[in-house]
Amino acid sequence: MEDTICAISTASGVGAISIIRVSGNESIKIVNKIFKGKDLEKVESHTINYGKIVENNKIIDEVLVSIMKAPKTFTMEDVVEINCHGGIAITNKILEILLMNGCRLAEPGEFTKRAFLNGRIDRIEAESVMDLINSKTEQSRKMAINGLNGEVSKIIKNLKNKELKILSNIEVNIDYPEYDDIEVLTNEKILPDLESLKEEMKDIIKKSYDGKLIKDGITTSIIGKPNVGKSSLLNMLLEEEKAIVTDIEGTTRDIVEGQVIIDGIILNILDTAGIRETNNTVEKIGVEKSIELIDKSDLLIFVLNNNEKITKEEIDLLNKIKNKNYIIVINKCDLENKLDIDNLKLDNIIKMSVLNNEGLSKLKLKIKEIYNLEKIQTSDLTYLNNAKDIALLKESLKNIESAISNINNNIPIDMVEIDIKNACEKLNEILGESYNDNLLNEMFANFCLGK
């Protein structure tokens, strides 16, 4: 990280202003070489300075230059931000001049990566930067801010401190057993602390699934046989004509996608091809995709036709989804009832007439009940929301459970110590206090260049 990096930090296109960010030991010196105005190497930190960017004594643009000196910057290095007039040509020209005068083009997320490596932020806070940029709802924005402000990190650090406290007592007991004034910790005395820690970790994991829900949304597939109203239901949920609707069976051959927000949670809705036996090659591929999505979806909306008897294929599908979150939508309730499903003992049934725009509020209410969205909306939104972090926390929990099991089986205390050390190591990975280059590259791969 000895070189000085630069990148455009604002979105590409025409606008009022663009910002080019520069970070590194030579950032102020390099910008000063192309700046006509005050001597930037002599101005106070955290000041904005008016002047012009020049090349070969020719004025390129009129700018405002922000000077921020280390260590009180995002990267903990000297940082300069050039605020120029918005526009692709002028922004790229200033970037080109910086590159010609000693800067290197930043890699995706490299500014945030430097902040992480320099100890300005931990891994949870670093990933929250991208979560904040990508947030699509007020709930996900609030959750990202809690991550960025270190509130989520405090939860993990608190768990780690409790594990370290148990470890330190064990190690003192192992290393200095001869001292009478040091409490001799027995397995029975350690056990209550470990049991308490286990319950706390289980509670955090449970709440973190809500966090993942807020961040990633609910993958929702609308399934059923052809011509029961799946595409019409998708259009009704999205309030737009996203899917083609006809009376011809098998119109939907591929997956049609859309998003709708319910109580701050995104529903990623997929309208699937009608599931039935078919000899049509293209339709058959669509049916296979629909069946694959059943296992990948968080929520299944199974649409049945009120005006037709239930088929064996539909009963087979109902059996396939019974252990998943599902809602049965009985559509076309404005027509004569020929559907007999009372003997199937189904839960979460909603009666609708998509054609007459009836029943949508009941469907949304049922989704809110299944996922307890009202509780999520009123909570403090301080969660882990990354699948990898949740997995690491679960591994840490397994280590704690192993320690408890070893105590109950009278395994020597030094073996219990190994379990707790392994639990600590998983928490270190969540915080980024231990990492490898592959993890680091994966972390920042999806960041934009100027962040």
Side-chain angles (χ1 to χ4, degrees):
M1 297 195 300
E2 296 301 318
D3 48 357
T4 297
I5 58 173
C6 67
I8 299 167
S9 289
T10 43
S12 178
V14 178
I17 62 167
S18 289
I19 298 175
I20 300 101
R21 178 179 289 172
V22 187
S23 181
N25 294 334
E26 300 291 313
S27 58
I28 298 174
K29 181 179 179 180
I30 290 172
V31 175
N32 200 41
K33 285 162 58 178
I34 65 171
F35 181 74
K36 186 177 181 180
K38 291 182 180 179
D39 185 345
L40 298 179
E41 294 189 75
K42 295 180 180 179
V43 301
E44 294 292 323
S45 180
H46 293 77
T47 58
I48 298 175
N49 305 274
Y50 168 79
K52 297 176 176 64
I53 298 295
V54 296
E55 182 185 38
N56 299 326
N57 294 320
K58 292 183 180 179
I59 295 174
I60 302 301
D61 194 21
E62 188 177 30
V63 297
L64 291 173
V65 175
S66 300
I67 299 294
M68 293 163 278
K69 297 180 181 179
K72 294 184 178 180
T73 69
F74 179 62
T75 61
M76 297 188 75
E77 303 171 336
D78 288 344
V79 173
V80 179
E81 289 186 351
I82 302 172
N83 294 255
C84 65
H85 287 97
I88 296 172
I90 186 62
T91 309
N92 285 338
K93 180 62 179 177
I94 295 174
L95 182 65
E96 177 189 325
I97 296 170
L98 287 169
L99 294 172
M100 291 173 62
N101 280 273
C103 286
R104 170 178 66 76
L105 187 64
E107 298 172 358
E110 190 169 0
F111 292 95
T112 308
K113 184 177 181 180
R114 290 190 175 202
F116 169 71
L117 292 174
N118 288 329
R120 169 69 172 75
I121 54 177
D122 61 33
R123 193 172 76 84
I124 293 174
E125 292 165 334
E127 291 186 337
S128 295
V129 172
M130 203 62 199
D131 290 343
L132 186 60
I133 293 170
N134 291 330
S135 58
K136 296 179 181 178
T137 67
E138 180 64 8
Q139 298 287 81
S140 58
R141 182 197 68 79
K142 287 178 180 178
M143 190 170 65
I145 284 292
N146 283 341
L148 190 58
N149 288 344
E151 295 302 316
V152 181
S153 298
K154 286 178 184 177
I155 293 173
I156 303 302
K157 288 175 181 177
N158 181 52
L159 291 177
K160 180 184 167 184
N161 288 337
K162 290 179 179 179
E163 291 178 354
L164 289 174
K165 184 178 179 181
I166 296 171
L167 268 180
S168 64
N169 287 327
I170 291 174
E171 288 173 354
V172 166
N173 183 248
I174 292 172
D175 293 340
Y176 304 103
E178 68 276 13
Y179 290 136
D180 294 334
D181 59 338
I182 296 178
E183 180 183 5
V184 179
L185 288 179
T186 64
N187 290 347
E188 289 76 16
K189 290 182 180 179
I190 295 169
L191 191 58
D193 287 343
L194 288 174
E195 290 283 6
S196 175
L197 188 60
K198 181 186 78 171
E199 293 306 314
E200 186 176 353
M201 293 172 80
K202 287 171 71 174
D203 184 58
I204 294 169
I205 290 169
K206 183 179 178 181
K207 289 179 179 178
S208 292
Y209 283 113
D210 289 343
K212 192 173 183 301
L213 203 70
I214 294 170
K215 178 185 173 184
D216 299 332
I218 304 169
T219 300
T220 306
S221 291
I222 304 174
I223 63 172
K225 71 180 185 180
N227 212 26
V228 292
K230 299 186 300 299
S231 297
S232 297
L233 178 57
L234 173 71
N235 292 339
M236 185 183 188
L237 281 163
L238 299 180
E239 298 181 0
E240 63 172 299
E241 298 298 314
K242 182 87 173 184
I244 298 172
V245 178
T246 74
D247 292 331
I248 302 170
E249 291 187 353
T251 298
T252 302
R253 301 292 181 90
D254 206 347
I255 308 301
V256 182
E257 302 181 30
Q259 287 187 334
V260 64
I261 296 173
I262 298 178
D263 276 13
I265 306 297
I266 297 172
L267 257 64
N268 301 302
I269 306 175
L270 309 171
D271 174 26
T272 65
I275 299 174
R276 66 169 178 174
E277 291 290 334
T278 178
N279 293 321
N280 184 293
T281 302
V282 177
E283 186 181 356
K284 195 171 185 178
I285 293 171
V287 171
E288 289 172 355
K289 285 185 177 181
S290 299
I291 293 172
E292 287 175 6
L293 278 173
I294 290 176
D295 294 327
K296 297 177 181 178
S297 298
D298 302 313
L299 174 66
L300 296 165
I301 299 178
F302 192 166
V303 185
L304 298 173
N305 186 348
N306 181 62
N307 192 233
E308 294 178 353
K309 291 184 178 180
I310 193 166
T311 66
K312 181 182 180 303
E313 289 172 335
E314 289 174 316
I315 292 174
D316 289 342
L317 268 179
L318 286 169
N319 289 328
K320 186 175 178 63
I321 71 171
K322 64 182 178 181
N323 293 322
K324 295 186 67 73
N325 285 331
Y326 69 84
I327 297 172
I328 306 297
V329 168
I330 301 177
N331 189 29
K332 305 184 183 182
C333 283
D334 51 314
L335 302 179
E336 180 186 356
N337 178 24
K338 297 179 182 179
L339 184 69
D340 184 11
I341 59 171
D342 293 340
N343 61 323
L344 297 179
K345 298 179 180 179
L346 299 172
D347 298 319
N348 301 329
I349 297 175
I350 302 294
K351 294 185 178 181
M352 300 182 69
S353 172
V354 177
L355 179 66
N356 295 327
N357 202 29
E358 295 174 358
L360 181 60
S361 59
K362 292 180 181 178
L363 176 59
K364 289 183 177 181
L365 183 61
K366 181 58 67 176
I367 294 170
K368 289 165 65 174
E369 287 176 3
I370 290 174
Y371 286 94
N372 206 7
L373 298 188
E374 289 185 0
K375 182 179 178 182
I376 294 176
Q377 190 179 32
T378 56
S379 63
D380 63 2
L381 303 180
T382 308
Y383 307 129
L384 289 173
N385 58 40
N386 181 290
K388 182 175 178 60
D389 291 342
I390 295 172
L392 286 168
L393 185 55
K394 289 175 76 173
E395 288 181 37
S396 184
L397 173 60
K398 284 181 182 179
N399 291 132
I400 295 299
E401 289 174 336
S402 176
I404 292 170
S405 176
N406 284 338
I407 288 173
N408 290 328
N409 290 312
N410 297 316
I411 302 297
I413 193 70
D414 51 349
M415 298 301 294
V416 175
E417 180 188 22
I418 292 172
D419 285 326
I420 301 172
K421 281 183 176 179
N422 289 336
C424 274
E425 183 58 29
K426 297 304 177 185
L427 299 185
N428 282 339
E429 287 187 49
I430 295 174
L431 294 167
E433 292 176 6
S434 62
Y435 58 86
N436 56 50
D437 290 339
N438 288 335
L439 173 64
L440 209 58
N441 293 334
E442 182 185 335
M443 245 177 83
F444 297 103
N446 296 321
F447 275 59
C448 52
L449 286 176
K451 196 61 190 172

